[in-house]
Amino acid sequence: MKLFLKLLTLSSLNFAIFAEIYNFPSNFVWGAASASYQIEGAWNVDGRIPSIWDTASHKNNSSVVDGSTGDDAAMSYYYYEKDIQALKDIGFKTYRFSIAWPRVLTKTNQVNQAGIDYYSKLIDRLKEEEIKPMVTMYHWDLPQYLQDLGGWTNPAIVKYFEHYADTLYKHFGDRVKEWITFNEPATFCDGGYSWGWHAPEIRTEKQIGGYLCSHHILLAHGAAYHLYKNKYFADQQGKVGICLNTGYSFPANENVTDEHVDRAMHFGLGRYANPIYSVDGDYPRVMREAIDQKSTDEGRRWSRLPHFTTAQVESLHGAADFLALNYYTSSLIQPYSHLGWNPADSDSEIHSFHDDNWKRSSSSWLVSVPEGLYHLLLWIKDNYNNPLVYITENGWSDLPMTIEDDGRVEYLREHLAAMSRAITDGCRVETYTVWSLTDNFEWMRGYTERFGIYAINFTDPERKRIPKNSVDLMKQVVRDNFVEVEKD
Ligand SMILES: *[C@@H]1O[C@H](CO)[C@@H](O)[C@H](O)[C@H]1NC(C)=O
Ligand SMILES: *[C@@H]1O[C@H](CO)[C@@H](O)[C@H](O)[C@H]1NC(C)=O
Ligand SMILES: *[C@@H]1O[C@H](CO)[C@@H](O)[C@H](O)[C@H]1NC(C)=O
Ligand SMILES: *[C@@H]1O[C@H](CO)[C@@H](O)[C@H](O)[C@H]1NC(C)=O
């Protein structure tokens, strides 16, 4: 993993430039990621029941910017062989995909055999091609009937999820050895239950819904983890983790301290990671104290951040075999106190924003900050006792049918280099799955922002997977196990 300089000669040009080479460990695993609702289509066939994303995208005047839906998407329900071929062509050895809860269980919690058969076929075909299946159990497509009961704000959801996880271990655990319970609760809990800009589009005052959601997500994760250890691990020998997303928080100026940075990280990542991965367990102390105090000040007899029982704290503590990490972007931060703002609208009292110099993608929230990935991995190593990390999403968006995706190629080179540096500095990163294998339904952005390394023309009935330039980059990285970054 030593860093050295290589003279890179451009064949057609009579000059040379320097490139830096960043190596990866020989057992490093490369792959790509996707999610059921974003690619499968076939929303109402073979017994699939409606999910909260069907509801959100089907309603009149929906919040999806282009009025589109995931009804057909990349049609992976029918064209999964095209996805497998796309993975094979690059040489990827793992595929992170998600199982749609509404496809495998009915409204009365019975197994839907057609749904089981679909994923079984997909898993078998991946294994025939020596591509390891890494399965996300929940990538946002909650059955609508469960939302009608309150969804993730109803404590009963924990038992429903445990039963769903049991069904997956039972039917697929002989072949699936890497399980991710939840994808990005930080996005869907506040998005779905605090601010209302994600399905099920519920707004609550002062994040009450979002905090209830994250609390039940953690309990559901713990239940699924222990179920696996107690009932399946002896036979199946797999790993169970949770997928968390965060950026890194950089001080906006010399007055922003390390303590502010830690506070921002604890309110973001720590809300989910601390109960599982920290030395002490439970919610981060800064968060606990701040929200308890504010709740009292607001005249409540209860804290907006629910409390775990002692038994729950102990049961969640250490309840993961790895941390799945999604990294896209980072922020500058500044405490509200420096800005003279009224802190009422954010419990962390920290303002985040982007540096104008950071390169912009086609998504307003996504700017390129490779240094953020490096610092984030080190922060995780230092705060959570150096856990095993899989980077399960990292990627860049552009406009439809951008085959010459030079922005993505540059983003990926720089982020892979940052990941290599973190590994050199002792972080235990063992897998990287790029987001995403193909263009897909980008939630409320519909088909206007594209993350695939393969392009898809969504009016083409064949949904051909068309390689972008980044496919060539990933082929080279998989083959050589290093990445080159041009040096200024
Ligand atoms: C949307 O509006 C049309 C026409 O007003 C109506 O027939 C249809 O039922 C509505 N659909 C939904 C999902 O509300
Ligand atoms: C459609 O949604 C937009 C944005 O949410 C809103 O401003 C508009 O009034 C809505 N139109 C109708 C007909 O409901
Ligand atoms: C940092 O704090 C000092 C002392 O309050 C102040 O004079 C200075 O303007 C601050 N710097 C920035 C960039 O805010
Ligand atoms: C997308 O596919 C449609 C239907 O096959 C075709 O008419 C159109 O030209 C394609 N667009 C692009 C950009 O390839």
Side-chain angles (χ1 to χ4, degrees):
M1 274 174 287
K2 247 191 335 208
L3 197 135
F4 55 93
L5 290 175
K6 183 193 174 197
L7 193 63
L8 187 80
T9 312
L10 297 180
S11 51
S12 57
L13 298 172
N14 194 19
F15 67 87
I17 58 167
F18 282 103
E20 272 172 326
I21 304 276
Y22 295 87
N23 288 283
F24 298 95
S26 57
N27 59 350
F28 199 85
V29 181
W30 298 100
S34 71
S36 47
Y37 186 71
Q38 294 178 276
I39 63 165
E40 286 178 0
W43 74 282
N44 60 353
V45 307
D46 294 346
R48 183 185 175 284
I49 57 175
S51 81
I52 55 175
W53 274 95
D54 298 308
T55 306
S57 64
H58 286 169
K59 72 178 186 194
N60 283 328
N61 198 25
S62 86
S63 303
V64 180
V65 285
D66 56 358
S68 66
T69 71
D71 289 2
D72 300 314
M75 294 174 74
S76 289
Y77 190 69
Y78 305 105
Y79 293 148
Y80 61 92
E81 285 291 352
K82 297 186 193 217
D83 294 334
I84 293 171
Q85 189 63 48
L87 291 157
K88 251 179 81 175
D89 286 348
I90 296 178
F92 280 151
K93 289 287 179 236
T94 191
Y95 181 40
R96 173 185 178 233
F97 62 95
S98 80
I99 290 182
W101 188 344
R103 221 183 263 294
V104 300
L105 287 175
T106 69
K107 260 186 190 176
T108 51
N109 245 346
Q110 306 300 302
V111 165
N112 176 34
Q113 194 56 44
I116 298 287
D117 292 347
Y118 168 67
Y119 294 110
S120 214
K121 213 166 42 180
L122 172 62
I123 290 164
D124 286 343
R125 282 290 298 117
L126 287 167
K127 290 191 68 81
E128 277 168 32
E129 302 297 346
E130 294 178 13
I131 299 167
K132 266 193 306 185
M134 181 192 285
V135 171
T136 313
M137 298 178 178
Y138 184 81
H139 203 123
W140 307 358
D141 37 6
L142 184 71
Q144 178 61 43
Y145 84 91
L146 288 173
Q147 182 50 45
D148 296 341
L149 304 175
W152 293 108
T153 60
N154 181 342
I157 193 87
V158 176
K159 279 283 168 207
Y160 282 93
F161 184 78
E162 189 178 2
H163 174 73
Y164 168 54
D166 198 359
T167 307
L168 300 187
Y169 297 144
K170 184 163 137 198
H171 287 91
F172 309 120
D174 56 336
R175 290 156 290 162
V176 173
K177 303 301 168 189
E178 288 170 329
W179 294 101
I180 294 167
T181 52
F182 291 99
N183 179 71
E184 294 193 5
T187 305
F188 72 79
C189 278
D190 282 324
Y193 297 93
S194 293
W195 322 128
W197 43 256
H198 254 241
E201 301 184 278
I202 289 167
R203 287 196 190 88
T204 53
E205 59 149 0
K206 298 202 175 287
Q207 276 178 277
I208 287 172
Y211 287 138
L212 271 177
C213 171
S214 38
H215 200 70
H216 298 140
I217 289 294
L218 285 160
L219 292 173
H221 166 82
Y225 177 82
H226 289 292
L227 174 70
Y228 190 78
K229 289 291 163 182
N230 296 333
K231 189 168 167 189
Y232 293 97
F233 179 75
D235 285 340
Q236 299 184 353
Q237 299 284 313
K239 292 188 165 87
V240 180
I242 186 169
C243 176
L244 304 179
N245 62 302
T246 179
Y248 188 71
S249 299
F250 289 98
N253 61 54
E254 71 274 12
N255 293 344
V256 181
T257 63
D258 287 351
E259 203 177 312
H260 295 130
V261 169
D262 285 342
R263 183 180 176 90
M265 296 304 293
H266 284 309
F267 270 83
L269 178 61
R271 170 170 166 193
Y272 300 91
N274 214 78
I276 301 172
Y277 300 96
S278 70
V279 176
D280 296 330
D282 210 337
Y283 289 115
R285 192 179 307 159
V286 283
M287 193 178 182
R288 173 87 272 158
E289 286 172 359
I291 301 172
D292 286 355
Q293 184 59 50
K294 282 165 188 277
S295 300
T296 303
D297 295 348
E298 287 153 16
R300 296 176 212 277
R301 300 176 61 91
W302 43 276
S303 178
R304 285 186 280 105
L305 184 67
H307 284 262
F308 292 117
T309 64
T310 307
Q312 286 171 338
V313 169
E314 281 167 13
S315 151
L316 269 176
H317 194 201
D321 301 310
F322 60 91
L323 169 61
L325 184 68
N326 290 357
Y327 176 84
Y328 287 93
T329 196
S330 285
S331 301
L332 299 176
I333 58 147
Q334 200 163 6
Y336 283 9
S337 57
H338 290 190
L339 298 160
W341 289 359
N342 176 352
D345 62 338
S346 152
D347 287 330
S348 72
E349 300 180 23
I350 296 220
H351 172 56
S352 316
F353 55 104
H354 289 157
D355 188 319
D356 289 338
N357 295 318
W358 289 338
K359 262 170 275 175
R360 311 182 73 84
S361 68
S362 296
S363 307
S364 59
W365 56 272
L366 175 51
V367 294
S368 180
V369 196
E371 276 304 294
L373 175 56
Y374 173 78
H375 286 281
L376 171 62
L377 287 168
L378 289 175
W379 194 91
I380 287 170
K381 169 174 172 277
D382 293 345
N383 284 272
Y384 302 133
N385 194 26
N386 203 11
L388 174 61
V389 172
Y390 300 160
I391 295 190
T392 43
E393 289 184 28
N394 175 236
W396 187 248
S397 67
D398 45 27
L399 296 173
M401 304 311 284
T402 307
I403 307 302
E404 311 288 322
D405 60 340
D406 299 337
R408 178 173 295 101
V409 168
E410 184 177 339
Y411 176 96
L412 291 177
R413 282 188 191 283
E414 291 177 348
H415 284 75
L416 294 180
M419 177 172 79
S420 166
R421 286 171 49 219
I423 294 170
T424 302
D425 289 354
C427 297
R428 296 170 59 213
V429 186
E430 294 191 355
T431 296
Y432 175 97
T433 56
V434 66
W435 185 269
S436 182
L437 181 63
T438 67
D439 286 344
N440 56 48
F441 176 76
E442 179 54 20
W443 311 111
M444 291 308 185
R445 307 306 300 169
Y447 298 100
T448 63
E449 297 169 15
R450 303 290 179 88
F451 280 85
I453 58 173
Y454 286 89
I456 292 182
N457 172 355
F458 288 93
T459 53
D460 165 17
E462 301 292 319
R463 299 292 197 279
K464 283 188 284 292
R465 276 60 171 155
I466 303 161
K468 305 184 190 178
N469 287 355
S470 48
V471 162
D472 290 331
L473 169 67
M474 292 316 296
K475 278 183 189 169
Q476 177 270 308
V477 169
V478 170
R479 187 189 65 223
D480 300 331
N481 226 18
F482 66 72
V483 68
E484 293 172 316
V485 179
E486 227 175 86
K487 201 173 146 55
D488 300 327

